[in-house]
Amino acid sequence: MQPIVLGIETSCDETAIGIVRGRTLLANVIASSVDEHARFGGVVPEIASRAHLEAMLPAIERAVAESQISLRDIDAVAVTAGPGLVGALLVGVASASGLAQGLGRPLYGVNHLAAHISVDYLTHDQPTRPTIALLVSGGHSSLLQVNDITGSITKLGATMDDAAGEAFDKIARILQLGFPGGPAIDRDAQSGSASAIDFPRGLTTTNDWATRPYDFSFSGLKTAVARYLESAPKYVRADVAASFQEAVVDVLLLKSLAACKATGIDSLVIAGGVAANSRLRAVATERCAKAGIELRIPKPDLCTDNGAMVAALGSLMLSAGKPATRGAFDADSSLPVEQVSL
Ligand code: KG4
Ligand code: ZN
């Protein structure tokens, strides 16, 4: 029988519990406090922490019931130790420590970003060779070389200003599309033209390709959109949404495929909340097929924050024989992406 791992995720506004048996997903319960933050136009850390405290026990109970197991069947507990909002992370770490200690089971404090990537291995086979990973979420955008998701990740590049998801959220606010902005722009763009406005692709000049080929910048794009709206008061919102989205998608994939080519790695994983974007998924599928690159993207509901991804990484750590996190540990709000676990 494969080991059962319970994963706890509280790095932002989702109190999320996932349970896996080996690589089979048994439960994926998400209690989100997003509605409580919407009127502030962004996540308020204190509200998120309090919501985690209230949601934690019911979410664990529901996940255990949905999995048709009892708490005692759990072989290991995994928890997001960082990066994220420190107060929010602490609720998860304290809950996971209590649960692991009470059950007498090992506890893995894992990296939220590595977890985003590893959730893919619940649906697709884990690559047996190195892969390039494009990680695009609300707080991070990076290009990584993943040699082994349980311990060997190299950063090739990252955003120099806004994260990709943050850019979606900011533009959605300007376009009065609400929060979170990614899904709203995705929806609005369906009826717009992606070629209506030629927005800039950040860090793609000849000099940029020579000096920072795998870094991203979205602040110039944000300014360009704001200027366009000022200059064209009768703009068609769906066209702006679609053209903005196209600029983000284009540059993300240009750099991802360039990284594959330069490293000779013919496998690409796209993960994080922005990987749920329908245009990114479609263009990635097209361009990877053309370039002979094997593409993996988790199902859309596993791209945004969830507990299954934490359980998945815990399960991979356990089966790889990686040591559990020893003793009491703190959450690390700025845990670097290369550090897969504590
Ligand atoms: O990974 P995630 O759930 O949380 C973080 O770790 O940050 O990512 C959230 C981000 C938000 O910025 C949200 O707007 C974006 O992912 N997002 C999307 C879509 N769904 C979520 N962006 C573009 N298109 C989407 N469909
Ligand atoms: Zn995330």
Side-chain angles (χ1 to χ4, degrees), residues 38-318:
R39 68 193 171 102
F40 301 103
V43 174
V44 183
E46 285 77 9
I47 295 178
S49 305
R50 183 183 302 228
H52 287 311
L53 277 172
E54 285 167 6
M56 183 59 68
L57 282 180
I60 293 177
E61 280 163 6
R62 225 179 90 203
V64 167
E66 276 181 21
S67 302
Q68 299 186 315
I69 60 165
S70 85
L71 266 182
R72 259 177 284 280
D73 297 328
I74 293 164
D75 297 295
V77 179
V79 63
T80 299
L85 304 170
V86 72
L89 288 166
L90 277 172
V91 178
V93 168
S95 307
S97 304
L99 184 59
Q101 265 181 38
L103 294 171
R105 298 288 190 264
L107 172 64
Y108 290 90
V110 302
N111 189 309
H112 179 82
L113 307 172
H116 264 304
I117 298 168
S118 48
V119 76
D120 186 59
Y121 310 146
L122 295 178
T123 27
H124 301 122
D125 269 350
Q126 194 181 345
T128 50
R129 55 189 197 284
T131 184
I132 297 295
L134 169 66
L135 183 79
V136 271
S137 70
H140 294 81
S141 297
S142 24
L143 258 176
L144 310 166
Q145 178 172 333
V146 180
N147 297 316
D148 168 9
I149 191 65
T150 66
S152 170
I153 297 182
T154 316
K155 185 150 83 178
L156 303 175
T159 183
M160 312 201 46
D161 37 61
D162 293 346
E166 202 178 347
F168 271 95
D169 294 335
K170 286 180 176 169
I171 296 303
R173 196 183 309 171
I174 304 177
L175 294 176
Q176 299 186 324
L177 281 165
F179 174 83
I185 289 191
D186 196 345
R187 234 174 290 122
D188 208 52
Q190 310 272 342
S191 55
S193 160
S195 57
I197 310 142
D198 187 18
F199 285 130
R201 272 61 170 160
L203 294 187
T204 55
T205 64
T206 311
N207 185 42
D208 294 327
W209 279 113
T211 54
R212 42 181 89 254
Y214 310 127
D215 288 330
F216 303 105
S217 167
F218 298 106
S219 67
L221 172 59
K222 196 177 59 191
T223 310
V225 175
R227 282 220 188 102
Y228 176 81
L229 298 182
E230 271 168 29
S231 69
K234 288 192 182 144
Y235 65 84
V236 179
R237 185 169 74 180
D239 284 350
V240 179
S243 300
F244 157 78
Q245 178 176 266
E246 198 68 9
V248 176
V249 165
D250 187 29
V251 79
L252 290 176
L253 292 174
L254 277 175
K255 299 212 165 202
S256 301
L257 269 69
C260 288
K261 198 167 171 202
T263 54
I265 295 173
D266 60 353
S267 157
L268 175 67
V269 179
I270 306 183
V274 180
N277 183 267
S278 61
R279 185 69 186 152
L280 178 61
R281 300 172 79 92
V283 181
T285 305
E286 215 173 87
R287 291 195 195 173
C288 285
K290 218 178 258 174
I293 291 165
E294 187 189 357
L295 174 67
R296 299 150 195 264
I297 316 182
K299 290 192 300 173
D301 63 328
L302 293 179
C303 287
T304 43
D305 287 351
N306 62 80
M309 65 192 215
V310 180
L313 182 51
S315 179
L316 290 167
M317 304 279 296
L318 191 67

